[in-house]
Amino acid sequence: MIHTLEPIVEQHPFFLGMEERHIALIAGCAKNVRFESDQVIFHEGERADHFYLIRQGLVAVQCVIPNKGLTTVHTVGPDEVLGWSWLFAPHRFHFDGRAQQPTLALEFDGKCLRGKCDEDHDLGYEIYKRFTQIVTERLEATRMQLLDVYGKRD
Amino acid sequence: MASAIEQPEIAAAAAAADPMLPALYSIQRVRQETDDTFTLELVPEDSHSSFGFRPGQFNMVYIFGVGEVPISISSDPGSLPMLKHTTREVGTVTRAMRQLKRGDVVGIRGPYGSCWPVAKAVERDVVIVAGGIGLAPLRPALYRLMAEREKFRKIVLLYGTRTPEDILYRQELEHWRGKFDLEIQVTVDRAASNWRGNVGVVTTLIPRAPFDPSNTFALVCGPEVMMRFTVMELEKRGVATERIYLSAERNMKCGIGFCGHCQLGAVFVCKDGPVFALNQIAAILGKSEI
Ligand SMILES: Cc1cc2nc3c(=O)[nH]c(=O)nc-3n(C[C@H](O)[C@H](O)[C@H](O)COP(=O)(O)OP(=O)(O)OC[C@H]3O[C@@H](n4cnc5c(N)ncnc54)[C@H](O)[C@@H]3O)c2cc1C
Ligand code: FES
């Protein structure tokens, strides 16, 4: 029996409100994956041909900082999206992604979806709109992190 | 009989003859909470100077020979006459405060200011968003909510700090999480890779936190920038402006509305605040010239 991932993709908050035909195209690039705690999902510098929708668990976005070692700069939890480098050249991950807990996710083949976006610009527009929203939210959060609001005032 | 939540609490000391005269409290215990934050547990030298307080109120704490600072009361309103003050060392007075030991005496004037609207939140969800030392003024509200847990719907605490080492009241949070029906989500701005919890600013917890925005009271306390962004996220989620409360901070001198030191637009933080409904201060929040 073939199990389609369409119902899962359709219900994920990230894709809420998308047209059925687009959901079918997106689900065609998806598969279910599971990561053990501490498992590295991707490494900094690797080709970014995937992104993930987290269904359960927690993934840390990490990098090595001189004198501090491996540092977590951000975590991605249930209903959130992990990875946008697949969408923007040069398609390389800028950080490591490591499961902090046993994690269930949908993995999307970025090459496959990029191809479909090139063919169907309506789909491309929807995808870009949603990822731009995520990028904007992360940028705002990063700005706030940089403000170091809990640090001592000068 | 009215419940503890509805009973108006007595603020005996505020009615004291000379409001500028501090009562003497001795330190029963000093608890080091984090690297730069400590809690003083205080009892009155004279039992007559004991007073009740409401969650969110503050005292002017006088360190003899050094100076006086406003510090929120962080203890359980139900465990009088003991008062607790959780303080972060930032400058002259708080540094001197940190040097104090068991048996030392401080002066206390208070309790002053407005309080968290705990009674108004009955039958509703309550979301508490705390940043850094901002958890201290919210802790008494949590004690009150826990004391009458059945009167409230969901209670959610979203707490952000700089690093895992800066988390306040860690043991108590664990205890509450296990004992009460309370959702606690903690996030830190940065962490070493062995931290298994959330990393990111506290506002990132709001979109997915389990509360019903159409029936929620939000209590927010932390650095002003954090409160501004938190308000935006709460409103985006659909929490009504009139049900969002914040605790504001301004430098103070008298603490009782005489000197004008703490003026914020048309309001005095010491007298009209520190807890404000958002619509009272929305227009002036974040304006540097005020
Ligand atoms: C209503 C109210 C309740 C408060 N409750 C608490 C509380 O529960 N716990 C607590 O630790 N503090 C609390 N504060 C803040 C506290 O009053 C100040 O940190 C204190 O007055 C600083 O005095 P100081 O002499 O140690 O520092 P100062 O010598 O006055 O300042 C030294 C340096 O610290 C900076 N600074 C001053 N205040 C703060 C601050 N709040 N945060 C970060 N940096 C600051 C100054 O800009 C300066 O650079 C409260 C303030 C108000 C108005
Ligand atoms: S501190 Fe004097 S008026 Fe508020």
Side-chain angles (χ1 to χ4, degrees):
Chain A
M1 199 169 78
I2 300 171
H3 289 281
T4 163
L5 292 174
E6 275 178 49
I8 301 174
V9 171
E10 190 175 20
Q11 277 163 29
H12 197 286
F14 186 65
F15 289 124
L16 267 188
M18 262 199 161
E19 282 181 32
E20 234 169 82
R21 65 189 176 100
H22 288 156
I23 294 287
L25 289 172
I26 294 164
C29 301
K31 67 176 186 196
N32 265 314
V33 288
R34 190 193 143 81
F35 303 104
E36 300 307 325
S37 195
D38 272 331
Q39 188 176 339
V40 176
I41 301 171
F42 50 79
H43 281 291
E44 179 182 339
E46 269 175 17
R47 273 202 68 81
D49 284 331
H50 297 101
F51 72 95
Y52 302 85
L53 294 189
I54 308 302
R55 300 176 64 194
Q56 238 180 63
L58 192 72
V59 177
V61 177
Q62 303 180 320
C63 66
V64 174
I65 301 181
N67 303 324
K68 282 192 179 165
L70 195 57
T71 302
T72 302
V73 291
H74 177 63
T75 50
V76 181
D79 292 347
E80 293 184 312
V81 179
L82 174 68
W84 63 64
S85 307
W86 69 279
L87 199 52
F88 306 102
H91 310 298
R92 301 243 167 234
F93 285 115
H94 292 83
F95 295 91
D96 292 352
R98 181 191 302 262
Q100 294 293 84
Q101 299 166 8
T103 297
L104 292 179
L106 286 181
E107 181 183 274
F108 293 83
D109 180 335
K111 255 190 188 162
C112 158
L113 197 54
R114 276 200 311 259
K116 289 181 180 177
C117 290
D118 285 340
E119 281 167 24
D120 181 339
H121 287 184
D122 287 348
L123 171 67
Y125 178 65
E126 280 297 328
I127 294 283
Y128 270 87
K129 215 165 62 174
R130 282 156 206 261
F131 271 91
T132 309
Q133 178 71 30
I134 299 284
V135 174
T136 310
E137 284 169 11
R138 300 265 163 90
L139 174 64
E140 278 167 12
T142 306
R143 281 183 179 155
M144 209 174 132
Q145 249 165 324
L146 285 173
L147 284 174
D148 193 17
V149 290
Y150 308 123
K152 287 196 176 156
R153 287 189 215 146
D154 296 326
Chain B
M1 202 178 83
S3 76
I5 289 181
E6 282 137 11
Q7 273 174 6
E9 281 125 315
I10 332 114
D18 181 354
M20 296 305 284
L21 194 69
L24 301 181
Y25 272 67
S26 61
I27 297 173
Q28 206 170 55
R29 184 174 170 186
V30 181
R31 180 192 282 267
Q32 195 64 40
E33 303 282 359
T34 69
D35 186 37
D36 60 3
T37 303
F38 55 95
T39 299
L40 297 184
E41 299 183 0
L42 305 166
V43 284
E45 294 258 279
D46 170 359
S47 61
H48 294 293
S49 41
S50 166
F51 55 83
F53 69 94
R54 284 174 248 155
Q57 289 194 296
F58 69 95
N59 284 326
M60 295 300 291
V61 180
Y62 192 68
I63 311 304
F64 292 103
V66 185
E68 196 178 36
V69 283
I71 303 289
S72 304
I73 306 169
S74 68
S75 45
D76 182 350
S79 56
L80 297 171
M82 157 97 64
L83 290 178
K84 293 184 190 172
H85 284 291
T86 302
T87 306
R88 179 165 178 227
E89 180 189 330
V90 295
T92 315
V93 178
T94 49
R95 194 173 309 125
M97 223 168 146
R98 190 176 175 179
Q99 307 305 318
L100 297 173
K101 290 181 292 298
R102 183 187 156 92
D104 286 344
V105 172
V106 297
I108 295 285
R109 291 193 294 124
Y112 294 137
S114 55
C115 60
W116 298 111
V118 177
K120 283 188 189 166
V122 167
E123 300 287 321
R124 294 182 191 272
D125 290 354
V126 183
V127 59
I128 291 178
V129 191
I133 187 76
L135 184 58
L138 284 162
R139 187 167 69 159
L142 274 159
Y143 285 123
R144 292 300 300 269
L145 293 164
M146 292 303 123
E148 300 196 66
R149 178 67 192 87
E150 70 290 349
K151 294 201 162 155
F152 305 92
R153 290 159 55 136
K154 289 198 179 108
I155 301 178
V156 181
L157 169 64
L158 308 177
Y159 176 38
T161 69
R162 200 178 194 202
T163 70
E165 293 71 39
D166 295 311
I167 296 172
L168 287 179
Y169 315 135
R170 198 185 267 261
Q171 280 182 345
E172 202 164 25
L173 294 181
E174 285 306 323
H175 172 72
W176 279 343
R177 209 199 296 252
K179 190 169 170 203
F180 296 100
D181 177 16
L182 170 68
E183 170 85 18
I184 302 179
Q185 295 184 16
V186 177
T187 186
V188 299
D189 274 4
R190 67 192 74 113
S193 63
N194 58 0
W195 164 251
R196 296 281 145 173
N198 296 305
V199 178
V201 288
V202 70
T203 49
T204 60
L205 299 177
I206 295 171
R208 277 161 286 274
F211 61 87
D212 169 9
S214 67
N215 193 21
T216 290
F217 258 81
L219 317 181
V220 185
C221 187
E224 205 160 301
V225 178
M226 167 256 162
M227 292 201 288
R228 265 159 42 208
F229 283 94
T230 297
V231 163
M232 280 188 236
E233 282 302 325
L234 288 169
E235 290 187 325
K236 214 196 286 179
R237 181 86 198 258
V239 180
T241 305
E242 62 274 17
R243 291 206 216 105
I244 300 177
Y245 284 75
L246 316 170
S247 184
E249 261 189 30
R250 280 296 179 274
N251 288 341
M252 289 186 183
K253 272 222 159 81
C254 70
I256 50 177
F258 286 170
C259 70
H261 221 76
C262 66
Q263 195 163 357
L264 182 65
V267 297
F268 285 177
V269 172
C270 67
K271 193 164 61 73
D272 306 308
V275 177
F276 292 96
L278 174 59
N279 45 19
Q280 276 180 284
I281 53 165
I284 43 181
L285 199 64
K287 290 206 174 140
S288 58
E289 68 274 18
I290 289 171

